[in-house]
Amino acid sequence: MINFRKLLLFLPILFLAFSCQDDVEDVVNDDDDNQDDNDINIVEMTVDNSGSSAYFVSAINGDEDATTLNEDNSTWDLTVGTRYELTITNASVHPFALRDSENNILLSMNSVDGSFEGDSEVDFQSSGSSFSFTLTQTLADELNNYVCTIHSGMTGSITIN
């Protein structure tokens, strides 16, 4: 009889312990959901070329329309805080670069070292046909245009959101 009484006293404690565990898990899961809101926005763009006269963007994947598709040397409208991952078609003969208003190289695919290539927040990566960077406010303050470092006619303006 004594064991039965102990069991009756112990059951409500077990019930409360397990029901509180679900609440703790819900709070933890809610925090994980908030972390997703802080993820960086990534925009992928395919940059093609019209011979040696122009670049054009043939595809954009992501949450923003950075430019008009298939328009030669179009103006790009980029957003601070976004990571841009560009695929440059024919990159070996049309190396891509970003410049300031005085045409100084900020980021470049070829052997020219751009002034932002070592900035850890920009996290510039270039390999083969890929060119990726995070647009920081500091980079945005300098950024003015894109260009082929071999064919000067392949250039377009960049505006910042």
Side-chain angles (χ1 to χ4, degrees), residues 30-39:
D30 288 344
D31 288 343
D32 290 343
D33 292 341
N34 290 338
Q35 287 177 349
D36 293 341
D37 295 337
N38 295 328
D39 289 345

Side-chain angles (χ1 to χ4, degrees), residues 4 28 36 44 64 81 83 95-96 98 102 110 131 154 159:
F4 183 70
V28 170
D36 293 341
E44 299 171 341
E64 65 184 67
R83 178 131 186 107
F96 187 84
L98 298 176
E102 297 177 3
N110 63 10
F131 184 101
M154 298 176 72
T159 59

Side-chain angles (χ1 to χ4, degrees), residues 6-108:
K6 286 181 182 178
L7 181 63
L8 286 176
L9 290 173
F10 189 65
L11 281 176
I13 294 170
L14 279 174
F15 177 76
L16 286 173
F18 283 108
S19 66
C20 290
Q21 179 65 30
D22 289 339
D23 292 340
V24 169
E25 288 176 7
D26 289 343
V27 170
V28 170
N29 289 338
D30 288 344
D31 288 343
D32 290 343
D33 292 341
N34 290 338
Q35 287 177 349
D36 293 341
D37 295 337
N38 295 328
D39 289 345
I40 191 165
N41 184 36
I42 297 175
V43 174
E44 299 171 341
M45 297 168 50
T46 302
V47 181
D48 213 321
N49 60 282
S50 296
S52 60
S53 64
Y55 279 124
F56 64 90
V57 175
S58 59
I60 300 173
N61 294 312
D63 289 337
E64 65 184 67
D65 294 323
T67 190
T68 305
L69 293 180
N70 302 311
E71 180 181 313
D72 286 353
N73 296 330
S74 62
T75 297
W76 294 7
D77 190 24
L78 306 183
T79 304
V80 172
T82 297
R83 178 131 186 107
Y84 293 92
E85 297 179 351
L86 311 179
T87 300
I88 312 298
T89 304
N90 299 318
S92 62
V93 292
H94 300 293
F96 187 84
L98 298 176
R99 302 186 301 188
D100 66 15
S101 61
E102 297 177 3
N103 295 329
N104 297 309
I105 301 289
L106 304 175
L107 300 172
S108 176

